[in-house]
Amino acid sequence: MFGRWVADVSRKVPSLLKRVSLEMKPQVVFVLGGPGAGKGTQCSRIVENYSYTHLSAGDLLREERAREGSEFGQLIDNHIKEGQIVPVQITINLLKKAMEDTMQKDETKFRFLIDGFPRNEDNLQGWNTVMDGKADVKFVLFFDCDNKVCIQRCLERGKSSGRTDDNRESLEKRIQTYLQSTRPIIQLYEKLGKVRTVDASRSVDEVFAEVKAILDKEG
Ligand code: UDP
Ligand code: MG
């Protein structure tokens, strides 16, 4: 009797687990910080060590810019060069689709690092409108880095990145946008007690040690 019950339950567990994870809401960590603060670098390290999927809003926009037949290519290109923020409808659709595709391929992948988003009020509103109730934002991982260090890193990266915005002129604009538009978003989450700040001016290993401590604590 008991044996049959055990057999029955263990047969059902995998499908039950599957169902639970299918219904799992995406768990999101927003990764913010100035250009060159090390968001992408640290996200790669996180992915190697934790079960997160890294989605860079900037990378998704660059992919969309390069996609043949995209109606947004030119608009994205202009915004990126000028350090301006692309209208959220475009970005949110890319993010939503990337999350859905990831979870469809593998239902256990419901933890996301969303890197470089939300960058302004418009981004945040778009997220809240489209993703309300559909995803949980666990916290904001904030890479706090001196602007001069950020500019130096991006200029260094510009020697090989091929990015149209890793030059001094675009960088000045990106820093301005960051200070004017993105910092207030970080402050907003700060008020909600949702910001975990890392001193990002140090070496990759030193920064990652701090990131690890935060993620181990947050679970
Ligand atoms: N961008 C945007 N919306 C986003 C993310 C990026 O418009 O949600 C654009 C913006 O012009 C930004 C550029 O993409 O300056 C590069 O962003 P990315 O995050 O790749 O740069 P990083 O901060 O990592 O150096
Ligand atoms: Mg990046």
Side-chain angles (χ1 to χ4, degrees):
M1 188 66 185
F2 181 68
R4 248 201 20 228
W5 180 79
V6 170
D8 194 40
V9 167
S10 42
R11 190 170 44 76
K12 280 181 181 155
V13 160
S15 68
L16 230 136
L17 276 178
K18 195 168 176 194
R19 219 171 41 233
V20 169
S21 56
L22 270 178
E23 285 163 13
M24 206 65 203
K25 252 194 231 173
Q27 302 291 300
V28 171
V29 173
F30 286 144
V31 181
L32 293 175
K39 304 181 291 290
T41 305
Q42 293 294 330
C43 283
S44 303
R45 295 288 285 267
I46 295 171
V47 168
E48 286 167 18
N49 291 275
Y50 298 86
S51 60
Y52 276 99
T53 300
H54 175 209
L55 298 178
S56 157
D59 286 349
L60 289 170
L61 287 167
R62 283 183 283 272
E63 254 171 54
E64 175 64 21
R65 174 179 66 179
R67 189 173 63 83
E68 207 170 321
S70 167
E71 51 182 316
F72 305 121
Q74 194 57 52
L75 181 146
I76 293 172
D77 196 47
N78 292 339
H79 278 73
I80 287 182
K81 263 187 221 141
E82 292 302 315
Q84 301 279 327
I85 296 158
V86 172
V88 70
Q89 285 83 347
I90 297 174
T91 318
I92 197 75
N93 280 333
L94 296 172
L95 283 170
K96 187 160 176 273
K97 183 164 186 307
M99 281 195 278
E100 285 168 356
D101 286 353
T102 305
M103 291 176 72
Q104 206 156 35
K105 275 192 209 125
D106 181 348
E107 65 266 22
T108 65
K109 290 193 166 172
F110 55 86
R111 307 213 292 169
F112 296 94
L113 299 166
I114 298 194
D115 158 8
F117 180 97
R119 275 178 135 92
N120 65 359
E121 195 69 50
D122 175 61
N123 276 184
L124 184 58
Q125 260 182 30
W127 171 273
N128 287 338
T129 309
V130 175
M131 297 307 291
D132 184 40
K134 295 197 182 79
D136 294 330
V137 178
K138 298 204 306 181
F139 57 93
V140 172
L141 187 57
F142 170 37
F143 290 100
D144 191 10
C145 191
D146 183 74
N147 289 336
K148 285 205 189 76
V149 175
C150 282
I151 291 178
Q152 269 321 309
R153 285 181 184 171
C154 287
L155 288 176
E156 204 46 47
R157 177 172 75 185
K159 290 178 187 166
S160 59
S161 69
R163 278 178 55 159
T164 54
D165 59 349
D166 281 342
N167 55 75
R168 200 169 274 282
E169 203 188 331
S170 293
L171 271 162
E172 300 286 347
K173 295 176 183 167
R174 288 163 70 193
I175 295 274
Q176 278 313 309
T177 303
Y178 167 66
L179 293 175
Q180 274 166 20
S181 307
T182 313
R183 285 307 297 247
I185 302 300
I186 298 169
Q187 273 157 15
L188 222 138
Y189 277 106
E190 191 92 61
K191 287 200 187 104
L192 301 173
K194 280 197 157 189
V195 178
R196 309 290 176 267
T197 303
V198 175
D199 172 5
S201 310
R202 297 163 303 158
S203 73
V204 174
D205 286 340
E206 284 171 311
V207 176
F208 187 62
E210 214 179 316
V211 169
K212 257 183 110 148
I214 291 170
L215 292 179
D216 289 341
K217 201 168 149 204
E218 295 292 338

